[in-house]
Amino acid sequence: MTVFRCMVVLAVAFVVTLAAVPLAKRIAVRIDAVDYPSNRRVNSAAVPRCGGIALFLGIVAAALAYCIGVRFFGWRLNNLYIIRDVDYILLYLGVATVFTVGLVDDITQLSVKPKLLGQVVACSLVAASGVTITAFELLGSDMLAWLDYPLTVVYLLIFVNVTNLIDGLDGLAAGVVAIVSLGMFYLMLSRGAYSIALACLAIVGACLGFLRYNFHPASVFMGDSGSMLLGLAVGIVSVLGVVRGQSFTIMLVPLLMAAVPVLDTVSSIVRRLRSHTSIGTADMGHIHHRLMKAGLGQLRSVLVLWTCTAVLVCAACIMDSLPTVVNWVVLAVLAIPTFFVILKFGLFRPVLRHHYDNKGRFGPRRPRERR
């Protein structure tokens, strides 16, 4: 794979996304898909939220550039990593479906159930296209091989939703996805999966083009159409290049790369379950909100989370070449600073307070009576 081809795919995704953002902003304003300031938002001015349109166009344009290069300019990528039968029409339909569901949500504010149903349909289409984990197939269990499909759907849903939930500050989601995709790019090159490596660069280029308008102070938000699209794109790349055809423990590599949004998602789910509210209910308890409450401000909070993601991506890339036993040791070592982060910023503090104040072993606590 030549540097020229990499630069073409990266540049096309960057330029098309950059050029399409003003169009996406005009569409959002026209249909009133705008985030107005409120007590649940950090923006102090009205910001259009359909930036996912630009991201979608950028990624699709990069894919078309690759197809044109193969068809008319004799691009030949000698993939050392073999990608078995994938139905690219179904794969595109899955990606287009998750983008469409996100766009409808940006416009109409879907409730949790139809939104989740749309995500499941999109991820199912991707799995049906042949993009599957093949974990049970690797274990040699033909009778249980069908479980690879639901496992893949769940795995992709994780990426779709963690990216969706982390999209709370200017440039945060786009930067995190770009950093994770760069890590994936390195892993694809090390495996000789050059076609998938180009897909990673397409994601990076789209994110960088979008950051021109989304970095603080943002003039456009990616919305659910963008965050869900990027989450599914990263999930697909990780399934094809990192998980598929490898041992089951390799699934930890992309999840470790996305550890910041994954940790935030787990915290959010537990917090909402313990407070008896819907999982889809928005709140101000995310890790980026807690960093801001700690006095870092929006820009520095984003830079801190970008840095944490970059460190985890480097660790994941190193782990990829180490024996399984050593990987578990590395994970144990990384768990130590993670514990202190949770303790410092109180990610689960409201959850624990609710537990001990209402369901402690000494029974429900009542307000102390005044004398």
Side-chain angles (χ1 to χ4, degrees):
M1 183 173 64
T2 65
V3 175
F4 173 73
R5 295 170 186 175
C6 292
M7 295 305 297
V8 167
V9 171
L10 182 68
V12 168
F14 176 84
V15 171
V16 171
T17 302
L18 186 68
V21 169
L23 171 64
K25 291 169 65 176
R26 286 196 294 271
I27 293 174
V29 172
R30 191 72 172 270
I31 61 179
D32 197 32
V34 178
D35 275 350
Y36 295 99
S38 70
N39 60 350
R40 295 190 312 176
R41 303 188 185 281
V42 297
N43 52 300
S44 57
V47 180
R49 61 170 177 262
C50 285
I53 296 173
L55 289 166
F56 180 76
L57 292 176
I59 293 174
V60 170
L64 287 175
Y66 171 71
C67 293
I68 291 172
V70 172
R71 179 68 177 84
F72 296 103
F73 296 97
W75 287 12
R76 293 291 182 268
L77 299 179
N78 297 320
N79 286 281
L80 302 179
Y81 178 90
I82 300 174
I83 304 176
R84 287 174 289 178
D85 299 331
V86 174
D87 187 331
Y88 289 99
I89 295 178
L90 271 180
L91 180 61
Y92 173 77
L93 285 176
V95 173
T97 298
V98 83
F99 165 72
T100 303
V101 171
L103 187 60
V104 172
D105 184 53
D106 289 339
I107 299 171
T108 65
Q109 301 294 289
L110 290 172
S111 59
V112 176
K113 289 183 179 179
K115 183 176 175 180
L116 180 60
L117 177 61
Q119 293 175 353
V120 171
V121 171
C123 294
S124 298
L125 287 171
V126 172
S129 73
V131 179
T132 54
I133 291 174
T134 67
F136 288 95
E137 182 181 326
L138 287 172
L139 294 174
S141 178
D142 295 333
M143 293 182 61
L144 297 178
W146 63 273
L147 289 174
D148 287 327
Y149 290 93
L151 180 62
T152 301
V153 172
V154 172
Y155 185 81
L156 293 174
L157 280 172
I158 291 173
F159 277 94
V160 168
N161 285 286
V162 297
T163 310
N164 189 22
L165 288 174
I166 200 69
D167 182 30
L169 298 181
D170 296 351
L172 179 56
V176 167
V177 170
I179 294 168
V180 170
S181 298
L182 278 175
M184 295 288 188
F185 172 72
Y186 168 79
L187 292 178
M188 297 309 100
L189 285 183
S190 66
R191 283 172 164 73
Y194 301 130
S195 297
I196 308 175
L198 289 179
C200 295
L201 286 181
I203 299 172
V204 173
C207 289
L208 293 179
F210 186 71
L211 278 172
R212 161 64 179 80
Y213 293 92
N214 187 236
F215 194 69
H216 185 69
S219 62
V220 64
F221 294 152
M222 67 173 62
D224 282 8
S225 58
S227 60
M228 288 164 55
L229 170 68
L230 292 179
L232 183 61
V234 172
I236 291 171
V237 168
S238 68
V239 169
L240 281 176
V242 183
V243 178
R244 193 179 191 217
Q246 304 294 326
S247 66
F248 190 76
T249 56
I250 295 299
M251 290 178 66
L252 295 173
V253 173
L255 289 175
L256 178 60
M257 288 182 172
V260 171
V262 168
L263 176 63
D264 186 56
T265 300
V266 173
S267 170
S268 300
I269 292 173
V270 174
R271 183 172 64 248
R272 291 163 188 174
L273 288 176
R274 293 299 301 165
S275 61
H276 307 294
T277 58
S278 171
I279 294 178
T281 304
D283 61 24
M284 298 292 286
H286 293 282
I287 187 171
H288 43 275
H289 294 138
R290 295 189 179 279
L291 288 172
M292 289 184 64
K293 290 177 182 178
L296 293 182
Q298 186 167 179
L299 180 58
R300 284 192 294 174
S301 297
V302 170
L303 294 177
V304 166
L305 292 174
W306 282 4
T307 302
C308 292
T309 302
V311 171
L312 290 169
V313 166
C314 291
C317 291
I318 294 172
M319 283 176 58
D320 186 57
S321 59
L322 298 176
T324 302
V325 176
V326 180
N327 285 342
W328 288 112
V329 174
V330 173
L331 285 175
V333 172
L334 290 173
I336 297 174
T338 301
F339 171 78
F340 284 105
V341 168
I342 292 173
L343 190 65
K344 171 67 176 177
F345 295 103
L347 292 183
F348 291 95
R349 189 177 301 152
V351 179
L352 296 176
R353 185 183 298 122
H354 175 88
H355 175 77
Y356 289 120
D357 286 353
N358 297 287
K359 295 183 179 181
R361 61 176 180 172
F362 297 108
R365 296 183 181 179
R366 300 186 178 120
R368 184 177 298 174
E369 296 181 3
R370 294 183 181 179
R371 295 182 179 178

